[in-house]
Amino acid sequence: MLWDVLPSGKQPGGAPFNVAVHVHQLGLSADLISRVGDDDLGTELLEFIESKGLRTDFVQHGKTHLTGVVKANVDDANEVTYKIVQPVAWDYIQYDSALEKLVAEADMFVFGSLAARQTATRETLYRLLEHARFKVFDVNMRPPHYSKEVVKYLLEKANLVKMNHHELAEIMAWFGEETDKPAAMQWLATRFDLQAVCVTCGADGALLWTNGQLYRAPGVAVEVKDTIGSGDSFLAALLKGWLSGTEPGEALRFACATGALVATHLGATPAFSETDVTELLATQVA
C-alpha cells in the first residue's frame, strides 16, 4: 500500500491495495495486510481506505520507515513505468497470530512478487502462505525488485497465477521453454501444479488456462486515460467470477471489461459498479 506520484498529483495505490478496493466495489469483502509509516502520508492512506469502506485492522504502523511512494511515468498511457522507493514501511510487515488467523479463514490470499523484495516482509509472506486455503499470485515483476528464485518459489506455492504477456515471456526464458502463449501457460500449469494461469495482453485482451482448457477474451475498446490499476481491477473481477462459479470464459470477458473501464479514468481506484462493467460489455456486443 503506497502512493503513486503522478504529474497530476499523488494517488493511493499498490497492486494488492488496488485489488482489495476493486474486490470490495464488486461486492465481496476484503482485508488488506500492509504497513504504513508514522507520517502524514500514512494517515492519509488509512483515511482513504476507510473512505472506500475497507477495514484498516491489519495495516501495521511503523516508526522507523516512511510510508511507501512510487514515482509513476505516464508518458506512454498504455505502458506506465515505475520508480519504487526503498526501503519503506511495507518492506517491514511483521508476522503475528492475527494475520495467520485472517489468512487461514479467507477464501483467497492474494500476493505479489514486490512484497518479497526485502527480508522482513518476504519472511512474513512465506509463513502466511503455509496457512492460506487458495493462493493467488499476481506476479507483478517490477525491475529490479525481484529475483528468479523468489518468483519460482511463489509459483510453487500458488494455486492461481496472473501475469502479463511480458512477464510470461521472461519467466519462460528462465526455463528455456516454449514462449507461444497457450503452450507456455499449459507448461506452467503442469510444472507448478496450478489450477489456473491467466495472462493479460493489454489492448488484445486476455487468456486463461484452467481445467485443461484455454479461454480467450478480446480487448475492450475504450479511450485510455491511464492504465494504472487496470490489471488490478481485472484480477479483482476474475477472482469474483472464480468464487461465484461463473463460467471461465464469461468471467474472463467480464474481467477484461473491468480493466478497460478503469483505464478510462485517471488513477488506480476509481469508483465503479458491476452494472457499469456490464453496460460497457453490452456496448461491445452491440
Side-chain angles (χ1 to χ4, degrees):
M1 186 174 65
L2 46 80
W3 288 99
D4 286 320
V5 180
L6 310 170
S8 56
K10 69 182 190 300
Q11 295 271 359
F17 167 72
N18 297 338
V19 172
V21 170
H22 293 309
V23 161
H24 180 71
Q25 292 192 142
L26 290 168
L28 301 178
S29 62
D31 275 301
L32 180 72
I33 298 171
S34 193
R35 190 176 180 92
V36 296
D38 186 19
D39 50 31
D40 290 344
L41 289 178
T43 301
E44 281 188 71
L45 269 184
L46 294 174
E47 290 173 350
F48 183 83
I49 293 175
E50 290 171 343
S51 76
K52 288 290 188 178
L54 295 171
R55 297 192 298 174
T56 59
D57 302 41
F58 303 98
V59 179
Q60 301 172 0
H61 300 247
K63 294 184 180 298
T64 54
H65 293 87
L66 299 174
T67 297
V69 173
V70 170
K71 296 170 183 174
N73 184 337
V74 292
D75 290 344
D76 180 351
N78 293 300
E79 200 70 52
V80 180
T81 56
Y82 303 91
K83 181 180 180 183
I84 306 171
V85 176
Q86 71 171 334
V88 291
W90 57 258
D91 286 311
Y92 297 90
I93 298 171
Q94 304 299 305
Y95 187 90
D96 63 41
S97 58
L99 297 187
E100 179 184 312
K101 184 174 186 291
L102 176 71
V103 169
E105 293 177 353
D107 292 315
M108 289 179 163
F109 179 48
V110 184
F111 58 95
S113 62
L114 189 56
R117 70 175 180 176
Q118 296 269 8
T119 304
T121 297
R122 181 169 65 247
E123 290 181 350
T124 297
L125 172 60
Y126 284 8
R127 290 180 69 183
L128 290 175
L129 284 169
E130 298 306 316
H131 300 280
R133 296 183 202 173
F134 189 89
K135 296 163 283 253
V136 178
F137 180 21
D138 182 11
V139 176
N140 209 24
M141 297 192 304
R142 301 294 186 209
H145 304 286
Y146 64 91
S147 69
K148 293 180 190 177
E149 292 71 29
V150 168
V151 172
K152 288 177 186 177
Y153 180 84
L154 295 176
L155 284 169
E156 287 167 358
K157 293 294 180 181
N159 301 112
L160 183 154
V161 174
K162 173 249 177 190
M163 65 188 76
N164 65 36
H165 59 294
H166 300 301
E167 291 163 341
L168 176 66
E170 181 174 345
I171 289 171
M172 296 309 291
W174 297 346
F175 296 101
E177 291 291 335
E178 178 65 67
T179 55
D180 170 71
K181 293 186 191 73
M185 293 166 71
Q186 184 176 356
W187 186 88
L188 282 173
T190 302
R191 167 69 174 77
F192 293 102
D193 191 24
L194 300 165
Q195 291 186 36
V197 178
C198 183
V199 175
T200 58
C201 307
D204 293 327
L207 305 170
L208 176 66
W209 175 269
T210 188
N211 296 326
Q213 188 171 342
L214 181 71
Y215 299 86
R216 299 175 184 265
V220 176
V222 293
E223 186 175 331
V224 174
K225 292 283 183 66
D226 74 45
T227 56
I228 298 175
S230 289
D232 305 325
S233 61
F234 169 95
L235 179 58
L238 185 68
L239 298 183
K240 165 150 179 135
W242 185 280
L243 284 171
S244 60
T246 304
E247 187 273 327
E250 183 183 337
L252 192 64
R253 287 189 292 276
F254 185 85
C256 284
T258 304
L261 180 64
V262 168
T264 66
H265 297 83
L266 292 174
T269 53
F272 70 88
S273 68
E274 201 167 343
T275 301
D276 295 329
V277 180
T278 304
E279 288 175 354
L280 176 59
L281 264 178
T283 67
Q284 303 297 306
V285 175

